[in-house]
């Protein structure tokens, strides 16, 4: 072992090895594509490029109430939290926000994390890892943060085909009835924009006595009464044990959270390493997020705009015959189905029209499934949506891409 390390250390010092490695990283970087500067302000004067793939779906990152609350909290408490939640970093805005989020979801308690990624990773590591012998059932399209949390838990995992409740039931039925079970799903899937069959999953969870963990990252703020998400929209919130969300999309700021029974939240706060061993969210971020949550609990304006923009985009793409994956949500993934065409389309949109839509291609997506993931947001107008669809239609023809069969 020591010998091996010596050889490696010597090789690392060889100039060729270092140069070759650097070249390799450069190539990998290039393959990942460029990294456009997406200035978020869209007031017509400061936008460097016109962004159609932002996750600030409701424009709350620019909302005056959010900005005012953030600025006020900066004046009150400064720029940072000053510590982890357990050591000097807990501020009253964290407490207020946790209470607000618990209320929003109709749960006993909520717990903030510095990001949605950390909320999933930390909570799932604890939930699936603390119950001895826990069996996990996870949708195949679940987000990387869910996959990582489940991996870190060490629990045995069954992956079921995307939104396929027949497959899920088969796996549940074949599992040992005495082992604790956890079903992990998203409500709105981030790349496909489709919605999980929540009522059927809740039924299966009850039938097979499984706990449920529902990632509503792409739904909170946007759907349901007061922006409480899809489960709330469908009257199912109390049938999901834990609802997880982000503050970085519909709520326009940053951070993540879980909401659920106090016992679960306390266990997570006691054991989740990404909660314990990191600096808390800046109080000003928590204050801004609190303003966003409160605003969206009473205002339908932003949700209505988003819904209308999504409806117009679905309608225009359908009329043009441009294939897209789902018309259930504001995530509109245009199916290009070729790596080179997808990248070319995105480059033409940016270079000719100043429109930025990220090509989602390899290696994050299997060959043949490449998409342009369009997310119209509440700050766009229906006319802008129409003009985007017309530009896309022109480029689609120019590149000779296949139209959907009529
Ligand atoms: N869950 C899902 C489904 C996501 O798409 C994302 C991020 N895109 C996250 C969790 C992580 O959220 P955050 O960006 O707040 O870390």
């Amino acid at each position: 072992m020591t010998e091996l390390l010596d050889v490696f250390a010597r090789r690392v010092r060889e100039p060729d090895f270092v140069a070759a490695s650097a070249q390799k990283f450069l190539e990998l970087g290039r393959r990942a594509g460029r990294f456009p500067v997406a200035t978020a302000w869209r007031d017509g004067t400061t936008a460097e490029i016109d962004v159609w793939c932002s996750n600030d779906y409701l424009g709350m990152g620019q909302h005056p109430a959010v900005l005012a609350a953030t600025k006020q909290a900066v004046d009150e408490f400064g720029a940072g939290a000053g510590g982890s939640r357990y050591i000097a970093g807990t501020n009253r805005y964290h407490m207020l926000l946790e209470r607000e989020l618990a209320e929003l979801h109709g749960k006993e308690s909520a717990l903030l994390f510095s990001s949605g990624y950390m909320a999933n990773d930390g909570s799932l590591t604890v939930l699936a890892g603390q119950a001895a012998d826990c069996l996990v059932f996870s949708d195949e399209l679940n987000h990387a943060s869910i996959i990582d949390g489940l991996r870190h838990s060490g629990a045995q995992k069954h992956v079921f085909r995307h939104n396929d409740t027949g497959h899920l039931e088969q796996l549940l039925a074949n599992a040992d009835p005495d082992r604790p079970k956890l079903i992990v799903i998203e409500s709105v899937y981030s790349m496909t924009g489709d919605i999980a069959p929540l009522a059927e999953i809740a039924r299966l969870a009850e039938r097979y006595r499984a706990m449920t963990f529902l990632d509503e990252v792409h739904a909170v703020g946007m759907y349901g009464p007061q922006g409480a998400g899809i489960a709330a929209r469908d009257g199912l919130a109390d049938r999901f044990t834990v609802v997880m969300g982000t503050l970085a999309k519909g709520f326009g700021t940053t951070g993540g959270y879980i909401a659920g029974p106090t016992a679960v939240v306390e266990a997570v706060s006691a054991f989740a390493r990404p909660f314990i061993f990191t600096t808390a969210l800046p109080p000003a971020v928590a204050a801004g997020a609190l303003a966003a949550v409160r605003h969206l609990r009473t205002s339908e304006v932003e949700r209505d705009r988003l819904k209308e923009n999504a409806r117009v985009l679905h309608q225009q793409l359908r009329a043009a015959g441009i294939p897209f994956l789902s018309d259930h949500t504001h995530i509109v993934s245009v199916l290009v189905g070729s790596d080179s065409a997808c990248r070319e389309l995105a480059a033409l949109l940016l270079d000719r029209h100043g429109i930025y839509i990220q090509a989602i291609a390899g290696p994050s997506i299997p060959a043949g499934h490449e998409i342009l993931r369009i997310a119209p947001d509440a700050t766009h107008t229906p006319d802008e949506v129409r003009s985007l669809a017309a530009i896309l239609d022109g480029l689609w023809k120019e590149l000779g891409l296949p139209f959907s069969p009529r």
Side-chain angles (χ1 to χ4, degrees), residues 43 58 160 233 238 265 288 314:
D43 60 6
L58 296 170
F160 60 93
R233 183 195 73 177
D238 57 349
V265 167
H314 298 146

Side-chain angles (χ1 to χ4, degrees), residues 219-244:
V220 287
M222 276 78 69
Y223 299 94
Q226 305 183 13
I230 300 283
R233 183 195 73 177
D234 297 350
L236 301 166
D238 57 349
R239 294 175 64 193
F240 286 87
T241 323
V242 176
V243 171
M244 177 270 165

Side-chain angles (χ1 to χ4, degrees), residues 55 114-118 120 142-143 145-146 186 188-190 215 217-218 244-249 254-256 373:
N55 281 334
S114 301
S115 73
Y117 183 96
M118 291 158 93
N120 271 339
N142 275 342
H143 189 256
S145 52
I146 294 178
E186 298 176 21
V188 173
Y189 280 86
S190 60
D215 175 325
V217 155
H218 295 276
M244 177 270 165
T246 184
L247 304 169
K249 302 185 196 295
T254 197
R373 179 187 180 277

